[in-house]
Amino acid sequence: MPGMVEESPIEIAIVGGGIIGLSLAAGLIKQNVKVKVYEQAKGFREIGAGMAFTANAIRCMGLMNPDIVSALRSGGSVATSLDKNDPNDYLRWIDGYNKRRKDDPSYQQMLFKIDAGYKGFEGTRRDQFLEALVKVIPEEIVELKKRLDTIEEKGPDGRLQLNFADGTSAEADAVIGCDGIKSRVRELLFGSENPASYPHYTHKVAYRALVPMDKAIQALGEYKARNQHNHVGPNAHLIHYPVANQTMINATAFLSDPNEWLDDKVTVVPGSRKDLEAAFADWNPCLIALIQYFPEKLEKWAVFDTWDYPAPFFNKGTICLAGDAAHASSPHHGAGACCGIEDALCLVTLIKEVNASLREKSTTKKEALSSAFEVFDAMRRTRSQWLVNSSRRVCDLYHQPEWGHEQKWIKAETCFEEIKDRSLKIWHFDYDTMIKQTVQEYAKKHPMQKAGEEAVNGSENGVKATGMTNGTASALAAIAVEVN
């Protein structure tokens, strides 16, 4: 109601200092929001494994804050394909199991590939990207060694108090949980007895390694080593792509596991190269050679996700979930972080609109933020939970037992049209329409005093007909040459 709005800036607490939490913080800083990031670790450390972002996700980064894109590229991101005769990126599926030519045991048949366009993907090392991303955030914004215990509402203005395990506390107008697959914020929202509070075992395990490029070339040959390939076969697959300015490949082997995982609190246990040597003993000689360059001691990662018990909602009042905290996915589309970046862009768009409605003095912070998070849930939950489902589905297709039976090869290969459709839905996400619909849905809850049509179709604080705010359009223009 008019006259009830405080003049102080919105204060938002982000729980979790991973890639999504820091990217969101970088975007909110551009909206003149007072942000605090609370990270339970002693420092920003990530595993030295690789990850890749789609061109679409990188554009979303740029719309929030072009410095995020700069951080990605300063961390050594490279296109996942390097073909002098073709500048585009592709996803490639190759027969990793069968020896289809008796005269050439190392021959691998290309099964399918999808054109992702120029710079369709950029691969990077997680640790290098996070290290660069931390530098985008002012130092005073981040507090380390802050393990969240509880959240409680304080007073009639709806301020939230975060209580930490070390006995300290902090206050904010809203809390956004970006605290990953084992999210404490999610557990607080749904309760300790609700299975949706926790991730569940997908019956897949992963072994990751970074292999020097010269060793990868010895095992795979130049072309396969310098370009992304997914080697499929019965009950397993191995995917690799270049990272670190083409000096290494990130390789991950996934194995099906019919057993239950005994301790869901411990999802990483010691493994060894011998595990992979046994699992891939009958596979193509190229993969057997590549595995020899994995370290002798490896970590065995149990792959968990939120497929069994998806979150019934992403928001409650002025508390919201984003990224893996909301929709942790298995990695088989390689798009979990990309989806989290889409979440962050949606939230930054909404907070921009919250600021505009508060300037109109037509609502309170609590009402505006609660409405914004309701819109976020409506805009993001269906797509992100579809991704969780789809990632499980494509892994099942990669691991078909039919790959091991010559008479069933044709049947197995019929999966690729489905995989293509699913992949394109991820890559070609229409973020312009998401922005436009997000603004429109928020405006329905909080119509601007200066006429709703102006706010939707191009006022100074609204969005253009293309679905972008003036500031968003400028951000896109600023990075158009760099990203495209």
Side-chain angles (χ1 to χ4, degrees), residues 444-459:
K444 291 177 183 177
K445 295 177 179 290
H446 295 279
M448 301 289 283
Q449 291 182 359
K450 294 181 180 179
E453 277 300 311
E454 185 183 358
V456 171
N457 291 326
S459 72

Side-chain angles (χ1 to χ4, degrees), residues 339-445:
C339 194
I341 292 293
E342 294 170 10
D343 287 351
L345 175 59
C346 186
L347 285 166
V348 169
T349 301
L350 282 162
I351 298 305
K352 179 181 177 70
E353 298 307 308
V354 168
N355 273 333
S357 60
L358 291 176
R359 285 195 298 269
E360 292 281 339
K361 300 187 184 297
S362 59
T363 187
T364 65
K365 287 180 181 177
K366 180 179 179 180
E367 291 169 346
L369 288 164
S370 296
S371 296
F373 293 162
E374 289 171 6
V375 173
F376 174 78
D377 177 72
M379 294 300 303
R380 295 298 306 159
R381 186 152 52 90
T382 299
R383 173 174 168 80
S384 58
Q385 290 179 341
W386 167 85
L387 176 66
V388 177
N389 296 351
S390 187
S391 185
R392 280 232 189 173
R393 170 63 178 164
V394 296
C395 188
D396 288 342
L397 297 175
Y398 300 163
H399 288 204
Q400 294 177 83
E402 286 83 355
W403 294 121
H405 301 282
E406 184 173 353
Q407 292 180 329
K408 293 186 177 181
W409 285 350
I410 300 301
K411 177 182 182 295
E413 291 176 23
T414 62
C415 72
F416 288 113
E417 192 65 22
E418 177 183 341
I419 292 172
K420 177 182 178 181
D421 290 345
R422 292 175 180 274
S423 299
L424 294 178
K425 183 171 180 175
I426 295 167
W427 305 346
H428 296 163
F429 174 62
D430 187 351
Y431 54 84
D432 281 352
T433 295
M434 179 190 74
I435 293 171
K436 182 175 182 178
Q437 291 178 349
T438 296
V439 173
Q440 290 173 335
E441 291 303 310
Y442 181 81
K444 291 177 183 177
K445 295 177 179 290

Side-chain angles (χ1 to χ4, degrees), residues 247-299:
T247 62
M248 311 181 91
I249 67 165
N250 177 66
T252 307
F254 293 91
L255 309 180
S256 292
D257 175 20
N259 303 308
E260 295 298 325
W261 193 262
L262 297 180
D263 187 354
D264 59 8
K265 298 277 192 297
V266 180
T267 58
V268 183
V269 298
S272 73
R273 189 172 65 212
K274 291 181 179 179
D275 299 342
L276 295 181
E277 289 171 346
F280 287 90
D282 295 327
W283 284 52
N284 187 279
C286 291
L287 292 189
I288 295 172
L290 178 64
I291 289 168
Q292 296 308 306
Y293 295 120
F294 280 39
E296 186 174 336
K297 292 183 179 180
L298 294 166
E299 290 182 324

Side-chain angles (χ1 to χ4, degrees), residues 171-184:
E171 289 191 10
D173 297 309
V175 173
I176 302 176
C178 296
D179 47 340
I181 190 169
K182 298 180 181 179
S183 171
R184 175 61 176 164

Side-chain angles (χ1 to χ4, degrees), residues 198-213:
Y198 311 104
H200 298 270
Y201 187 42
T202 68
H203 295 278
K204 300 290 186 288
V205 294
Y207 297 79
R208 296 165 167 160
L210 290 166
V211 178
M213 183 60 75

